[in-house]
Amino acid sequence: MTGRRTSSGPRSFWRNNSLTIVFGLLLLVFVVGQAVAGLAEYNESARTDGLQQLSFPRYVTSSSFAVDLLENWQSEYLQFTLYILLTVWLVQRGSSESKKVGEEGRESDEAQLVGAHARSDSPPWARRGGWRGSLYSHSLVGVMALVFLLSWFAQAVTGRVAENDLRLRDRLDPVSLGDYLVSPDFWSRTVQNWQSEMLAIGSMAVFAIYLRERGSPESKPVGVPHGATTSDD
């Protein structure tokens, strides 16, 4: 019997990684768009206040641009950290974003293909078990949470610098990092992003009960009943 042929080369690389590539390109486009719009807004404010305007390279390396960028990044990683973690234990009947009711929890080693139940092509640390297996079992949430914390801290640092730039214009004393962490500016930037992420992820879980997108893995098949959590209910 002849096995299915697998292609190689640039075309197959694109096909195998098209989702990541497209989102990477969209990220680049939107970051550039944010930089262009942010620079225009910054320079308009500088002209009004009689201050020096910035060039594009100077702006994209400034704290003003960095804090706006990072406050969105940290909220996105918080969203997915919480979503991945909470969907281990919490369910929404009928949603394709949820496990079936009754399957809450970490699941058995057999279901997770770890240790003695691992396959020959399972990741090495999943086969070995022990502390390596335990660490690998929580690696996704761990990395997501780490990126969230790092980007949140970077937001605090760059936000403080941007805030002190504004205070310098008004001839006010600069604030320390500790003072900035309890300031209205820091928490306003933070909470306004957090609430929007919770709205998006929560509404997606509910919409997925009743609405469909044919061919998308984020949706149930079009003809599956609303009450079915997965296609085999």
Side-chain angles (χ1 to χ4, degrees):
M1 180 181 292
T2 303
R4 185 176 180 181
R5 297 178 60 186
T6 57
S7 58
S8 60
R11 184 175 180 179
S12 64
F13 177 82
W14 162 259
R15 183 177 182 180
N16 293 339
N17 302 281
S18 56
L19 186 62
T20 299
I21 293 171
V22 168
F23 269 99
L25 292 174
L26 288 173
L27 171 63
L28 180 61
V29 169
F30 293 146
V31 167
V32 171
Q34 178 184 347
V36 170
L39 175 62
E41 181 182 22
Y42 182 94
N43 283 340
E44 181 178 356
S45 176
R47 283 194 300 270
T48 302
D49 296 337
L51 301 173
Q52 182 181 8
Q53 299 181 50
L54 298 182
S55 64
F56 186 80
R58 179 88 177 274
Y59 176 72
V60 296
T61 56
S62 70
S63 58
S64 295
F65 176 69
V67 67
D68 290 340
L69 191 69
L70 290 166
E71 72 183 50
N72 287 288
W73 286 11
Q74 58 88 5
S75 65
E76 294 294 338
Y77 278 97
L78 174 65
Q79 173 194 156
F80 283 108
T81 298
L82 291 176
Y83 183 68
I84 295 166
L85 188 60
L86 291 177
T87 51
V88 174
W89 304 101
L90 305 179
V91 295
Q92 174 58 60
R93 183 175 181 85
S95 176
S96 60
E97 299 294 306
S98 169
K99 296 191 292 188
K100 296 180 187 178
V101 176
E103 293 185 351
E104 300 90 337
R106 294 293 184 188
E107 303 178 1
S108 66
D109 287 355
E110 183 179 4
Q112 287 291 312
L113 301 177
V114 298
H117 303 283
R119 305 187 321 191
S120 60
D121 57 351
S122 295
W125 280 24
R127 297 198 304 269
R128 298 189 65 172
W131 69 268
R132 293 180 180 86
S134 179
L135 180 63
Y136 188 68
S137 295
H138 305 289
S139 56
L140 181 58
V141 164
V143 170
M144 286 285 190
L146 178 61
V147 176
F148 158 66
L149 292 172
L150 291 175
S151 57
W152 195 25
F153 177 73
Q155 176 202 331
V157 172
T158 55
R160 172 186 172 249
V161 175
E163 175 70 9
N164 281 339
D165 285 343
L166 294 176
R167 294 177 67 86
L168 182 61
R169 294 184 186 183
D170 297 332
R171 298 182 180 180
L172 299 174
D173 293 333
V175 296
S176 66
L177 181 60
D179 289 337
Y180 182 70
L181 287 174
V182 296
S183 70
D185 181 76
F186 175 71
W187 284 104
S188 175
R189 287 178 177 274
T190 296
V191 176
Q192 69 175 330
N193 283 280
W194 287 1
Q195 57 85 15
S196 64
E197 302 302 341
M198 299 307 106
L199 172 64
I201 203 77
S203 59
M204 175 62 181
V206 175
F207 290 161
I209 300 173
Y210 304 103
L211 307 177
R212 308 286 188 270
E213 182 56 48
R214 183 168 182 161
S216 174
E218 298 302 311
S219 168
K220 293 184 290 189
V222 177
V224 169
H226 295 323
T229 304
T230 58
S231 59
D232 58 351
D233 269 337

